[in-house]
Amino acid sequence: GGGIGGGAADPGKGVELQEVRAASELIQFGRGKIKETDQSIARSKETVAKTIEIGAQTAEALKGQTVQMERIVDELDEIHFSMKKSMKLIKDLTRGLATDKCILTLLFIVVMGVIAIIAVKVAGVDKDDKVAKIPGARRLLMADYGMGAPGAGAVNGGEEDEFVALHHEAAGMGRGRSTYSSPRH
């Protein structure tokens, strides 16, 4: 009977062995999965660390760009201010040039007038005094002073010649230079 009884005990041990092997395999399988999970977590940690590093670099780049943009805005404000100042200066210069042109024009007119007066004096046009004479004006002027008609100077004792000399002196023609001639009838 030992063979029968021993045969009956073997199947129970075999089941236990199978269970131990199955448990051992399950433990090995679980350990493999844990190892894979740990590796996956390590890779995820590396990815997160790289992402944080890239994020820090991006934040630093953005900070640098923000500073650069602020400088650009400041420079644009400076350029805008300079442009306003330049436009005001150009307006002032233009106004000054217009004023200078007016002054130069007036100065030119004055110089031309002086040159014309000198030319008239040199040419002797004022000696004839025909241009400046207005017929009858002297007669009226002398009549107001009671000197009589032109040519009556000899009768009035030379007062007419003295009057003509004073008149010419007042007109800027010089003292003692008489250009008066009596009108011819």
Side-chain angles (χ1 to χ4, degrees), residues 42-88:
R43 284 191 305 269
S44 295
K45 283 182 179 180
E46 285 178 25
T47 304
V48 168
K50 287 180 182 178
T51 304
I52 290 173
E53 185 180 333
I54 291 171
Q57 290 173 351
T58 305
E60 190 65 34
L62 285 174
K63 187 177 179 182
Q65 288 178 353
T66 302
V67 169
Q68 188 176 10
M69 290 296 288
E70 287 173 353
R71 276 197 316 259
I72 290 171
V73 168
D74 289 344
E75 288 174 3
L76 285 175
D77 286 344
E78 219 174 287
I79 290 170
H80 183 70
F81 177 74
S82 296
M83 290 293 290
K84 276 186 173 180
K85 200 172 182 180
S86 297
M87 291 304 289
K88 186 178 184 302

Side-chain angles (χ1 to χ4, degrees), residues 123-142:
V125 175
D126 65 332
K127 290 180 183 173
D128 293 344
D129 212 18
K130 290 181 184 174
V131 176
K133 275 190 180 178
I134 300 173
R138 200 170 291 263
R139 189 174 292 154
L140 288 174
L141 183 64
M142 286 188 225

Side-chain angles (χ1 to χ4, degrees), residues 6-23:
D10 275 340
K13 277 186 172 184
V15 171
E16 263 184 49
L17 275 174
Q18 283 181 349
E19 286 179 11
V20 170
R21 280 186 195 155

